[in-house]
Amino acid sequence: QVQLAESGGGLVQAGGSLRLSCAASGRIYRVNVMGWYRQAPGKQRELVASIINGGNTNYADSVKGRFTISRDNAKNTVYLQMNSLKPEDTAVYYCNAEIFPYSGSPNLYKYWGQGTRVTVSS
């Protein structure tokens, strides 16, 4: 089994910054894609940013230029640096990871963190 442990959420004023972290642990051979999603009240969960094992990144248009995703493969950890935060960034942020559990595994398994709340006040 695999666990994703998130940290770093909180309350911040508009224009401020937060850094989210998510560490994967358990039966892991290799972590493929890691990403951050968010869900605001009354809205669907949406992709914020993702990063593949080789380092290529993908961002939602709404966060480009403000958020930066990075990862430490040795620690199976992904980070989301959020700058110039806006009230519309308020949401629960979820970490996601696609994991091969053992060498030669034909299957990739997706896991979710429990979520960390980010609140941006105006």
Side-chain angles (χ1 to χ4, degrees):
Q1 194 54 279
V2 171
Q3 296 79 40
L4 300 182
E6 300 151 336
S7 61
L11 173 64
V12 65
Q13 288 189 331
S17 298
L18 284 173
R19 189 190 194 214
L20 305 183
S21 300
C22 172
S25 62
R27 186 174 186 182
I28 299 171
Y29 169 69
R30 185 165 63 92
V31 182
N32 192 25
V33 181
M34 299 190 83
W36 290 95
Y37 290 71
R38 67 186 180 187
Q39 187 166 18
K43 295 188 176 181
Q44 289 190 332
R45 191 174 296 189
E46 63 176 359
L47 175 67
V48 176
S50 63
I51 182 168
I52 66 173
N53 188 278
N56 285 355
T57 58
N58 180 48
Y59 294 93
D61 287 342
S62 59
V63 308
K64 282 180 181 176
R66 300 188 298 122
F67 291 11
T68 302
I69 190 169
S70 61
R71 63 189 284 173
D72 184 334
N73 289 333
K75 296 180 179 180
N76 291 327
T77 299
V78 64
Y79 306 96
L80 186 67
Q81 178 65 44
M82 304 185 293
N83 298 329
S84 302
L85 282 160
K86 304 175 181 180
E88 50 263 44
D89 295 317
T90 295
V92 177
Y93 285 69
Y94 296 91
C95 174
N96 175 269
E98 297 179 353
I99 293 171
F100 289 102
Y102 55 88
S103 176
S105 170
N107 298 317
L108 193 64
Y109 295 88
K110 273 194 172 184
Y111 295 91
W112 291 93
Q114 79 284 356
T116 185
R117 186 173 300 275
V118 172
T119 303
V120 184
S121 62
S122 57

